[in-house]
Amino acid sequence: VPAAAADLDRTDPLASLRDRFILPEGVTYLDGNSLGALPVGVAERVNEAITRDWGVGLIRSWNDAGWYPAPARVGAMLAPIVGADPAHKSVVVCDSTSVDLFKALHAACSVRPSGRRVLIAESDNFPTNAYIAASVAAAYGLELRAVASDQVVAAVERAGSDVAAVSLTHVNYRTGRQHDMIAVTDQVHAAGALVLWDLCHSAGVYPVALDQLDVDFAVGCTYKFLNGGPGSPAFLYVNRRWIDAVSHPLQGWFGHRAPFEFDSSFEAAPGIQRMLTGTSPQLGLIALEAALAAYDGVDINAVRAKGEALTDRFISLVDETLGDGSAGAADHDNLVSVVSPRQASERGSQVSLSHPNAYAVMQALIERGVIGDFRAPDILRFGFQPLYVRFSDVDHAVGVLAEVITTRAWDQPRFHARKSVT
Amino acid sequence: VPAAAADLDRTDPLASLRDRFILPEGVTYLDGNSLGALPVGVAERVNEAITRDWGVGLIRSWNDAGWYPAPARVGAMLAPIVGADPAHKSVVVCDSTSVDLFKALHAACSVRPSGRRVLIAESDNFPTNAYIAASVAAAYGLELRAVASDQVVAAVERAGSDVAAVSLTHVNYRTGRQHDMIAVTDQVHAAGALVLWDLCHSAGVYPVALDQLDVDFAVGCTYKFLNGGPGSPAFLYVNRRWIDAVSHPLQGWFGHRAPFEFDSSFEAAPGIQRMLTGTSPQLGLIALEAALAAYDGVDINAVRAKGEALTDRFISLVDETLGDGSAGAADHDNLVSVVSPRQASERGSQVSLSHPNAYAVMQALIERGVIGDFRAPDILRFGFQPLYVRFSDVDHAVGVLAEVITTRAWDQPRFHARKSVT
């Protein structure tokens, strides 16, 4: 007999962390992998930054309110969450994930082993990763081999000593399938190549061990599981053995050795500072800094353990209520299937289901206060941020999903009208 | 007899616009060309966006709170301020100025007339402009000719039909000297080349006429005279005759024809949307949007007229109190000189002075509540945003400057200790 959700919530060692977030009434939020919930204190901190630091401090706040060092300071706060020693100064927060991916992949190619001509990326990854890989491969005259995620290991093996770099995303945004980061990193290194990990869907919910695995480069988003707010700046990790050797074409004044000497020729800053480009987005940085307080004293291993339990329970309940033999399973246009791996160790803090009318199903769920998202063509995506998602939320979400499916509540015209984003 | 400042302020048709800003007591703010003052309503709007749109709306706000179209919507608000017809959809707000400069200069080179091999830029421009020009020239195999600002016209003439593109800044950040944008644009076009204007120091205070002059590309900062807040996202203009032809290497999902189809191959969006890269920084966009309300109903020609009057008066008063023959003028380490052009039509809304101990002088001024900034090696820089700077501020600032100079108040150890930013 599985444990009751109420009992699990009562004994959950992370249960009190939910109080670090402001969550609206009547909503079960399973979309923290798209936009994290609002942490307590962020609104107050940003308001203070605007009214006091900007309004009164004005230009003086670049020194007095810590704006100038913010990209490195917030990077150091974020470092332990992704297994980087803050003392190594290998993490910086700046720009968008797309721009940081461009810079990091250029940086990787700038120090690739000589004579190597192949860049390996994933064909079924988030689109930006494919576009940037194509852009960087063209810039360096490398051959881009974009292969399906499950073919990466074989592709690295086949390319052998031709591989310059491998650009991968830890957890796939559609399926939730997670690479074995230890094994793949070791394989790429054994081939003498460099690895870049995109941690968009794992930073904050998985004990990523960048230093320990000796990962070369990493980037990630801060507005998903890290709760930095809409469009908050991304993070970028460069292994300290590379940092003083890399270059990238987005050379701007903030990446210069001495920005305020206003030299007309570019000389890269020592250390992670060289990965910066222009003036950093202070409101976004300030919101993110305040948001990261939600991780104070939190053990990411415990977060992951709860994440596995939440997603396991979600899959079990879906199987139970909507699996073979259940009501609705006979309708060919109303079949729910589990897309994410059933083995917890193979997936991120996410469960993806498929349904032939997934868009409409998700709209019907949202109308009922259960918020996940849709990914084309047929994916219902549910993200589980263990800092604020409860076991009872899992039960409630599956209950509402079962109702929407078995009553075909999704089959109404208003649920089929597409908006630009879901 | 020059008019009294009080009389000029009383009859200033723009005087009431100062009420659209929140300015601290006891401060005369002449650094709006580095970080603009806080407009009324920004703090409230950002707070609402955080608590309501993010906190309650959560992911739904990408549709319901207008986050998704924000880069184009705020671009359209900004367009008339730089002489662009919003209906042409040629302005977008995204990323930092440095990143936008990179994208715009790449875009220019991507449609350069065939066979042309020279990129002209300024050697005495803001450093990022030089660094990005070097980066883009290298990417396209173009020869970069970086010449002094006053040699641009001659360089274009000399290079003739070899010129592919010319990248210039309208108003020089150090000297305040302003290019004749009409004449230079015409000259570059007559040479069959493309022009890119950086409007960092003119957008918001000068009637830039991008459409009318048929400028090809432009970028600019929004946190200086446009008051968008620290690190607010930059703007990017692409003439509509180029927009569907250009490409750039920062190809990300937000620049795709259909971002939410998640195609694995990049197909650029039609129109200005293709200049976007990643997820846009919403807090920065929201603050900027609220800040631009300070321009509601404002005639930029009137802003410029007042800017000329303010800077004329400042120079006259400096001459009068600190010019040849005045007290202090005999001390070789205490000489103030006017660096900016004395002809109003040749300068932006800025006056730069030089002083052998400019850093210490500026620190002494700031301690007395007169805020400008220092630019290496010897520049005292004063910016005049006519929306909130009064004629009486000019008189007060020169009075304090004269006191600091004539009493050598700057000559104290604490004013010489450098901070990272001034």
Side-chain angles (χ1 to χ4, degrees), chain B residues 152-418:
Chain B
V152 166
V153 167
V156 173
E157 199 170 291
R158 200 160 49 243
S161 61
D162 281 339
V163 191
V166 183
S167 177
L168 303 171
T169 295
H170 186 199
V171 175
N172 186 280
Y173 79 107
R174 284 183 79 252
T175 65
R177 183 175 289 277
Q178 175 168 289
H179 280 291
D180 181 340
M181 194 188 282
I182 300 174
V184 174
T185 299
D186 284 352
Q187 189 205 9
V188 174
H189 283 166
L194 303 169
V195 69
L196 184 160
W197 285 106
D198 178 334
L199 305 175
C200 277
H201 289 275
S202 47
V205 290
Y206 190 87
V208 179
L210 293 178
D211 281 353
Q212 198 186 319
L213 301 187
D214 209 21
V215 165
D216 302 290
F217 300 89
V219 299
C221 176
T222 67
Y223 55 75
K224 299 180 188 294
F225 287 128
L226 293 171
N227 315 301
S232 59
F235 70 89
L236 198 161
Y237 166 93
V238 180
N239 190 304
R240 58 181 172 156
R241 79 171 170 281
W242 297 122
I243 191 57
D244 287 326
V246 298
S247 65
H248 62 83
L250 272 169
Q251 49 191 40
W253 70 310
F254 267 86
H256 192 276
R257 181 186 55 74
F260 290 90
E261 289 181 9
F262 298 97
D263 285 343
S264 65
S265 63
F266 186 72
E267 192 181 334
I272 193 71
Q273 197 81 13
R274 70 173 55 193
M275 300 308 293
L276 298 181
T277 300
T279 303
S280 44
Q282 289 299 326
L283 297 188
L285 280 162
I286 288 161
L288 172 59
E289 184 169 31
L292 289 176
Y295 276 90
D296 282 353
V298 171
D299 173 7
I300 306 286
N301 291 291
V303 174
R304 171 62 181 174
K306 182 178 172 188
E308 292 194 3
L310 290 166
T311 51
D312 271 343
R313 186 177 184 90
F314 186 85
I315 291 173
S316 296
L317 290 174
V318 167
D319 280 343
E320 204 172 284
T321 54
L322 294 166
D324 295 343
S326 66
D331 300 337
H332 68 90
D333 69 340
N334 200 20
L335 282 172
V336 170
S337 303
V338 175
V339 170
S340 298
R342 288 170 178 282
Q343 186 68 35
S345 63
E346 294 175 6
R347 63 170 187 264
S349 209
Q350 168 189 338
V351 176
S352 295
L353 309 176
S354 68
H355 185 279
N357 289 280
Y359 184 87
V361 171
M362 185 51 72
Q363 297 307 310
L365 288 176
I366 292 171
E367 193 177 82
R368 286 160 176 75
V370 175
I371 302 182
D373 60 23
F374 163 77
R375 284 294 174 260
D378 63 353
I379 298 291
L380 296 162
R381 195 173 72 154
F382 301 94
F384 299 82
Q385 165 51 287
L387 267 52
Y388 56 76
V389 173
R390 298 165 299 195
F391 291 94
S392 52
D393 293 327
V394 170
D395 288 33
H396 177 71
V398 178
V400 174
L401 175 66
E403 181 254 322
V404 164
I405 298 295
T406 55
T407 66
R408 296 181 66 96
W410 54 266
D411 200 2
Q412 297 190 39
R414 75 175 187 284
F415 293 139
H416 290 270
R418 298 286 178 110

Side-chain angles (χ1 to χ4, degrees), chain A residues 92-385:
Chain A
V92 79
V93 175
C94 60
D95 302 301
S96 66
T97 309
S98 303
V99 171
D100 284 351
L101 189 57
F102 178 86
K103 291 198 275 195
L105 195 51
H106 262 283
C109 290
S110 76
V111 292
R112 71 191 183 282
S114 65
R116 292 179 174 232
R117 57 179 190 81
V118 171
L119 174 62
I120 293 176
E122 296 166 287
S123 57
D124 48 0
N125 196 351
F126 190 76
T128 280
N129 299 64
Y131 309 157
I132 296 292
S135 172
V136 176
Y140 283 88
L142 298 175
E143 177 196 335
L144 175 63
R145 294 193 190 161
V147 301
S149 302
D150 60 2
Q151 297 301 309
V152 166
V153 167
V156 172
E157 198 171 291
R158 201 162 48 244
S161 60
D162 281 339
V163 191
V166 182
S167 177
L168 304 171
T169 295
H170 186 199
V171 174
N172 185 278
Y173 78 107
R174 284 182 79 252
T175 64
R177 182 176 288 277
Q178 175 169 289
H179 280 290
D180 180 339
M181 194 188 284
I182 300 174
V184 175
T185 299
D186 284 350
Q187 189 207 8
V188 174
H189 283 165
L194 303 168
V195 69
L196 185 161
W197 286 105
D198 178 334
L199 306 175
C200 277
H201 290 275
S202 47
V205 291
Y206 190 89
V208 178
L210 293 179
D211 283 352
Q212 197 186 320
L213 301 187
D214 208 21
V215 164
D216 301 289
F217 300 88
V219 299
C221 175
T222 67
Y223 55 75
K224 300 182 187 292
F225 286 128
L226 292 170
N227 315 302
S232 58
F235 70 89
L236 197 160
Y237 166 92
V238 180
N239 191 304
R240 58 182 173 154
R241 80 170 170 281
W242 296 122
I243 189 59
D244 287 327
V246 298
S247 65
H248 63 83
L250 273 169
Q251 48 191 39
W253 71 308
F254 267 86
H256 192 274
R257 181 186 56 75
F260 290 90
E261 289 181 10
F262 298 98
D263 285 344
S264 65
S265 62
F266 186 74
E267 192 181 333
I272 192 72
Q273 198 81 12
R274 71 174 53 193
M275 300 308 293
L276 298 182
T277 300
T279 303
S280 45
Q282 290 298 327
L283 297 189
L285 278 162
I286 288 161
L288 173 59
E289 185 169 29
L292 289 176
Y295 276 91
D296 282 353
V298 171
D299 173 7
I300 305 287
N301 291 292
V303 175
R304 172 62 182 174
K306 182 177 171 187
E308 292 194 3
L310 289 167
T311 50
D312 271 343
R313 186 177 184 90
F314 186 85
I315 292 173
S316 295
L317 290 174
V318 167
D319 280 343
E320 206 173 285
T321 55
L322 295 166
D324 294 344
S326 67
D331 300 336
H332 67 91
D333 68 339
N334 201 20
L335 281 172
V336 171
S337 304
V338 176
V339 170
S340 297
R342 288 172 178 279
Q343 185 69 33
S345 63
E346 294 175 7
R347 63 170 186 262
S349 210
Q350 168 190 339
V351 176
S352 295
L353 309 176
S354 68
H355 185 279
N357 287 281
Y359 185 87
V361 170
M362 186 51 72
Q363 296 307 309
L365 288 176
I366 292 171
E367 193 177 83
R368 287 161 175 75
V370 174
I371 302 183
D373 61 22
F374 162 77
R375 285 295 174 260
D378 63 353
I379 299 289
L380 297 163
R381 195 173 72 155
F382 301 92
F384 299 82
Q385 166 50 287

Side-chain angles (χ1 to χ4, degrees), chain A residues 51-64:
Chain A
T51 56
R52 184 192 66 188
D53 301 339
W54 173 13
V56 178
L58 290 160
I59 191 66
R60 296 169 292 197
S61 289
W62 276 98
N63 287 313
D64 301 346

